Amino acid sequence: MFLIMSGSYVQSELNAEFGLIPPSFLPLGNRRLFQHQVELAPKGSSIYLSVPEDYELNDIDLSWLSSQDISILKTPSNLNLGQALVACLNLLEVPPSSSLHLLFGDTLFSKLPEGEDILAVSEVKSNYRWSSVNNNAIDWMARTDESTNVVCGYFKFSQPRNLIRNITQESWDFIKGINRYKKEIGLSQIVANDWYDFGHVNTYYHSKAAFTTQRAFNELTINTRFIEKSSIKNKKIKAEANWFDCLPPMLRSYIPQYLGSQELKNKRFSYRLEYLHNTALNELFVFSEMPNVIWKNILEHCLNFIDDCKKELAPENAVYQNINDLFGSKTSERLLDFCNERGINESDEWNFNKEFSVSIASMLKESHKYLPILKQCPSLMHGDFCFSNILYDFRSNRIKTIDPRGITTSGEMTIYGNTNYDLAKLSHSILGMYDWILAGYHHTNINWKDKEISFSISGEVKHKDTQTMFIKMVSSRYGLSAINLHAMQLQLFLSMLPLHADDRHRQDALFANAFRIYQILKRYEK
């Protein structure tokens, strides 16, 4: 048996940033932490996840857990650890011959320590109160200066029924029960050098950085000091570096500290940014349970950035990104590539959720009618101002933005363009629900032969108030209507389709989402 204990809620510091969620539901790498924890389970083992009995799982999480044959155990959130573990094991009706792998919900490893009747210990550098092994016994919540004896949240017991009896005999005190088990059965310490602790706000961000570093691509180097982006596609990376380098001083508070660029071997180019222990808005939007008042504050800061960009007008004769190139022509070209690759025609009629039928060509034509025509002088523009490129610092109450576009469709470097495009990219996260699709939080079924689409995103209901608030904020600040914003969304989602050819299911969802956006646009017409 493999049991993930996540039957309580995250501590207050994490609660302030992610809302009231169990630790295994924290975001990590655009997934839930439990999705990584499940991968540690030995092949063939029965997997169980405990959650607070008053926590409501969304349908996508339930579907994923069900697809992995993971059983949910609901227990009262006010139980202490010993009581919660005994409750879980009693619900499981543990067979006499079964061993138990026990993993705390705020804990992750690259690989589980091996052995029978073991507890994992590790080195710590943070000044928190930890359980530790001293004089061959486990001390509960002891502050220790020892560096390698901290109990780090994984145990394996060969006799879980004895464990239940031991904890019960010690009045449901987990540590006393473990020590009793240790005396009767034996329990060995195994040093784990790859422990990721997500139980405290500081250790969460340090563990997240370390975990990401282990899985970074060749073009990305991450450590606690900086992030280095590099590529043999020099033009794109040079354009990003140029954007940071040329950013006016008053806007540098919106970015991590820029640490310069350099030419590397093998014709590669790189630049570095300060590494910030912040969460990107896409993870907060999909995985957190933050109240709407927090989102209002975050969106205010995002729009303040756009306002400050608008003040930085492009010099006369400066190269700038034409918004008509970013919509119109680019959308048509990419959409043609997608249709050719999928063997469909733009004039084909598609039935969406058995509610209406429309062709791609008609949607594209309709969106053109409502693209904003407000004249605007070229100014500073980010070019990819979406949630995955915006970090939020809860302590300083500021946003930081990364990964700018910095290049025109014809390949010329520039920091200037039309901020309506930044609003479009921001909208594609909020109204377009792009990040929910990338995280897999959607139901998509397309019958390509009969041209029928079934599609839904559960987060659309969750964030309805945030979306309404955003539309009102944009309308009052910039004079753009809900129809304008959704028209730009249609353009963006249709143009991005060929860029997601590596994942057919995700590409299908992005295609289906264009029809959802079109349906909303038509509602605003009435």
Side-chain angles (χ1 to χ4, degrees):
M1 295 182 302
F2 187 82
L3 172 61
I4 304 170
M5 289 286 292
S6 191
S8 59
Y9 291 101
V10 294
Q11 295 189 356
S12 57
E13 291 174 312
L14 287 167
N15 183 356
E17 300 199 10
F18 298 102
L20 203 61
I21 59 175
S24 286
F25 287 71
L26 287 165
L28 178 63
N30 209 32
R31 302 168 72 194
R32 297 281 193 192
L33 177 54
F34 67 69
Q35 292 177 283
H36 300 283
Q37 292 170 323
V38 164
E39 293 174 356
L40 296 174
K43 287 186 178 180
S45 59
S46 300
I47 306 174
Y48 302 89
L49 172 66
S50 72
V51 298
E53 63 181 0
D54 57 350
Y55 180 71
E56 293 187 18
L57 285 81
N58 64 51
D59 58 343
I60 299 291
D61 286 333
L62 281 171
S63 176
W64 188 91
L65 291 164
S66 175
S67 71
Q68 303 296 313
D69 293 323
I70 298 164
S71 301
I72 302 296
L73 304 175
K74 293 200 169 188
T75 57
S77 60
N78 61 349
L79 299 180
N80 67 36
L81 183 56
Q83 292 170 328
L85 178 56
V86 170
C88 287
L89 295 179
N90 283 333
L91 287 171
L92 295 178
E93 299 181 352
V94 181
S97 60
S98 177
S99 61
L100 170 68
H101 297 265
L102 176 64
L103 182 71
F104 288 177
D106 57 10
T107 298
L108 186 65
F109 300 89
S110 297
K111 182 182 179 182
L112 286 182
E114 296 181 354
E116 292 292 329
D117 286 313
I118 60 172
L119 65 88
V121 296
S122 190
E123 178 181 357
V124 294
K125 296 179 181 178
S126 302
N127 190 28
Y128 288 106
R129 297 183 70 84
W130 309 91
S131 301
S132 60
V133 180
N134 292 303
N135 299 320
N136 211 32
I138 303 174
D139 291 333
W140 179 241
M141 298 294 282
R143 191 180 296 279
T144 175
D145 294 328
E146 297 291 333
S147 61
T148 58
N149 66 342
V150 171
V151 178
C152 56
Y154 171 72
F155 305 79
K156 186 178 180 185
F157 303 100
S158 65
Q159 300 181 36
R161 283 192 168 184
N162 276 349
L163 178 64
I164 295 172
R165 176 173 52 80
N166 293 146
I167 294 175
T168 304
Q169 288 174 329
E170 293 292 351
S171 302
W172 293 278
D173 186 300
F174 178 76
I175 294 299
K176 288 182 179 179
I178 296 296
N179 281 325
R180 192 178 186 116
Y181 182 95
K182 181 178 174 63
K183 289 178 182 178
E184 290 185 10
I185 310 298
L187 205 60
S188 302
Q189 301 176 44
I190 301 292
V191 177
N193 296 317
D194 57 351
W195 170 42
Y196 304 107
D197 174 38
F198 298 92
H200 309 274
V201 69
N202 286 338
T203 60
Y204 171 83
Y205 286 110
H206 284 291
S207 294
K208 191 174 183 179
F211 180 85
T212 305
T213 300
Q214 293 296 320
R215 288 156 175 78
F217 296 106
N218 293 333
E219 297 186 348
L220 195 64
T221 300
I222 303 174
N223 59 41
T224 55
R225 293 176 54 222
F226 61 81
I227 294 178
E228 181 178 65
K229 287 189 70 173
S230 64
S231 177
I232 198 167
K233 297 178 180 178
N234 287 349
K235 189 171 287 187
K236 179 180 181 298
I237 295 296
K238 283 183 177 179
E240 291 182 21
N242 178 70
W243 190 92
F244 286 113
D245 198 30
C246 295
L247 196 67
M250 289 305 294
L251 275 88
R252 292 186 179 274
S253 63
Y254 288 107
I255 64 169
Q257 186 177 359
Y258 176 62
L259 303 176
S261 61
Q262 61 180 325
E263 296 279 356
L264 301 175
K265 295 179 180 179
N266 302 322
K267 298 182 180 180
R268 299 175 73 86
F269 183 85
S270 75
Y271 71 88
R272 290 180 178 181
L273 294 175
E274 167 194 16
Y275 181 83
L276 297 176
H277 294 278
N278 302 145
T279 301
L281 293 187
N282 63 313
E283 290 193 332
L284 293 177
F285 198 62
V286 177
F287 300 111
S288 76
E289 297 292 339
M290 295 193 306
N292 209 40
V293 64
I294 301 296
W295 279 112
K296 185 177 188 300
N297 186 49
I298 291 173
L299 294 180
E300 287 280 1
H301 286 289
C302 291
L303 298 182
N304 287 344
F305 168 74
I306 291 176
D307 286 345
D308 287 343
C309 285
K310 289 182 71 172
K311 296 173 186 176
E312 300 292 336
L313 298 179
E316 191 175 351
N317 299 322
V319 174
Y320 65 92
Q321 179 63 69
N322 191 316
I323 195 169
N324 294 326
D325 294 335
L326 293 170
F327 288 132
S329 57
K330 185 181 76 168
T331 303
S332 299
E333 291 170 8
R334 288 184 175 177
L335 189 54
L336 182 60
D337 290 341
F338 171 76
C339 289
N340 289 337
E341 194 272 333
R342 287 298 185 102
I344 60 176
N345 195 296
E346 290 185 28
S347 60
D348 293 338
E349 292 270 330
W350 293 83
N351 182 274
F352 182 75
N353 286 342
K354 297 182 178 180
E355 295 176 9
F356 68 93
S357 295
V358 68
S359 69
I360 304 170
S362 295
M363 291 197 300
L364 199 59
K365 183 179 179 181
E366 192 78 2
S367 69
H368 276 295
K369 286 168 48 180
Y370 296 110
L371 289 176
I373 57 174
L374 297 174
K375 291 185 178 180
Q376 180 183 326
C377 295
S379 65
L380 181 69
M381 181 184 79
H382 182 278
D384 199 10
F385 194 58
C386 57
F387 273 1
S388 58
N389 292 335
I390 307 172
L391 313 177
Y392 187 66
D393 187 338
F394 282 87
R395 290 162 189 77
S396 66
N397 193 26
R398 290 180 178 178
I399 65 164
K400 302 284 184 177
T401 185
I402 57 174
D403 292 352
R405 179 180 175 87
I407 195 169
T408 68
T409 53
S410 59
E412 295 179 274
M413 290 196 299
T414 181
I415 66 172
Y416 300 111
N418 189 314
T419 54
N420 281 343
Y421 191 72
D422 281 343
L423 283 170
K425 294 295 289 188
L426 186 60
S427 300
H428 109 304
S429 289
I430 302 165
L431 306 179
M433 305 298 288
Y434 175 77
D435 304 301
W436 282 74
I437 294 174
L438 256 63
Y441 278 58
H442 58 87
H443 293 290
T444 304
N445 185 28
I446 300 181
N447 184 327
W448 292 90
K449 180 181 178 181
D450 296 333
K451 305 293 185 293
E452 294 178 345
I453 300 171
S454 174
F455 179 71
S456 65
I457 305 175
S458 59
E460 194 175 10
V461 174
K462 176 180 177 179
H463 286 296
K464 204 162 194 66
D465 289 343
T466 304
Q467 292 173 334
T468 301
M469 177 180 65
F470 174 72
I471 290 172
K472 289 180 179 179
M473 292 169 72
V474 170
S475 176
S476 63
R477 284 203 190 202
Y478 310 108
L480 296 178
S481 68
I483 293 183
N484 295 146
L485 293 174
H486 285 89
M488 291 191 290
Q489 295 313 294
L490 262 177
Q491 292 278 329
L492 287 175
F493 276 89
L494 290 174
S495 70
M496 72 175 67
L497 292 174
L499 306 181
H500 293 267
D502 61 310
D503 187 324
R504 278 291 182 106
H505 186 57
R506 187 203 312 139
Q507 192 182 47
D508 287 354
L510 295 170
F511 175 67
N513 194 44
F515 290 83
R516 181 190 69 88
I517 294 168
Y518 173 79
Q519 184 179 40
I520 297 171
L521 184 150
K522 297 300 287 184
R523 288 173 184 163
Y524 278 110
E525 271 188 338
K526 299 175 181 178

